[in-house]
Amino acid sequence: KGVEKVQNGVEKVPNEAKAELQQQAAKAPNRQSKAPKRKMVDMPQIDWRRVKLPVKFSAVENPRAYLVSASVPGLDRDSVGLRRDDENVLAAFGMRSPTREEQQELWRAVDKHLRSLPAEIRERCTQADLAELIMQLGHGRFGLFREEFEVPRDVDWSGIESSYEDGVLRIVLPRQARAAYRPAHFGGYRMPEPFLW
């Protein structure tokens, strides 16, 4: 099966030769398939309640109430709550889980780390190892917070309110109105009544 020369010096392969070359190519091993295929690993389900989310609260006192607040963007609104744990202890809690995009970001970081490991170590990685790695990467950004506050005795427990807006958790602890007192008379002068809020 010969090759014919065309006018400009380019060789033209006859149809029979083309068919034979295609058959040989189909029988030859694919060089790209020689690289070992990496086993795809499913992303493990993470229980973010096991991860402590650090939250810094601040408190302000005024004559009418105590105000407690913390900046915690991305909380799951339904997970935010308050509970009276003891006679004068208030617990605040909430949860921040990663969004779909944040989960993908975590998985890309894990995948990059796995590729940097030697093959024998990578093969030994279990779902529990991957879950631990993901929780370490998400530490400080995702998880559950629970903070307890010792509440002053003058707080009106029935009036406690909380709100979560624009990533800020606010807790208002109203003070009980102090009982009005009758000032004593001193030398015919009466002390002024205290101004009550």
Side-chain angles (χ1 to χ4, degrees):
K1 303 187 179 173
V3 178
E4 301 172 10
K5 290 265 184 181
V6 183
Q7 289 178 342
N8 60 6
V10 176
E11 297 176 352
K12 183 178 177 186
V13 179
N15 286 341
E16 303 89 39
K18 276 186 189 176
E20 189 176 318
L21 289 172
Q22 288 173 345
Q23 286 176 354
Q24 289 174 358
K27 291 178 185 175
N30 188 351
R31 292 175 193 237
Q32 292 176 346
S33 66
K34 286 186 179 179
K37 289 189 177 182
R38 199 163 49 109
K39 185 172 77 174
M40 284 301 293
V41 180
D42 293 330
M43 183 168 179
Q45 293 296 319
I46 307 297
D47 182 6
W48 289 105
R49 293 174 298 188
R50 292 179 33 205
V51 180
K52 183 175 173 26
L53 179 65
V55 175
K56 185 176 180 181
F57 283 88
S58 61
V60 176
E61 177 183 353
N62 69 37
R64 296 177 61 179
Y66 301 95
L67 307 170
V68 180
S69 63
S71 176
V72 198
L75 281 181
D76 302 332
R77 235 179 230 284
D78 296 336
S79 74
V80 178
L82 299 175
R83 185 173 60 231
R84 187 175 185 172
D85 279 350
D86 210 352
E87 184 177 322
N88 63 336
V89 175
L90 178 69
F93 52 89
M95 175 91 166
R96 175 149 175 6
S97 300
T99 64
R100 177 172 293 225
E101 293 80 23
E102 290 167 331
Q103 284 177 346
Q104 290 172 349
E105 176 189 324
L106 287 170
W107 187 240
R108 280 192 297 271
V110 167
D111 190 50
K112 182 179 178 182
H113 178 70
L114 286 175
R115 281 192 249 152
S116 71
L117 295 174
E120 60 273 3
I121 294 175
R122 191 170 48 234
E123 292 297 320
R124 288 192 313 237
C125 283
T126 65
Q127 288 286 326
D129 295 332
L130 295 176
E132 186 65 33
L133 181 59
I134 291 170
M135 286 190 287
Q136 287 175 6
L137 291 170
H139 181 74
R141 295 170 48 199
F142 312 112
L144 176 72
F145 78 86
R146 178 173 162 58
E147 195 71 36
E148 293 183 348
F149 306 97
E150 190 168 333
V151 176
R153 296 197 184 277
D154 65 341
V155 166
D156 177 10
W157 283 89
S158 64
I160 294 176
E161 296 178 1
S162 68
S163 64
Y164 179 68
E165 292 180 29
D166 301 325
V168 177
L169 174 62
R170 291 180 183 85
I171 305 168
V172 178
L173 307 163
R175 295 176 120 171
Q176 295 174 350
R178 290 187 240 174
Y181 68 93
R182 297 283 171 225
H185 295 295
F186 292 102
Y189 296 100
R190 188 178 181 127
M191 297 291 290
E193 291 283 336
F195 182 73
L196 297 176
W197 292 93

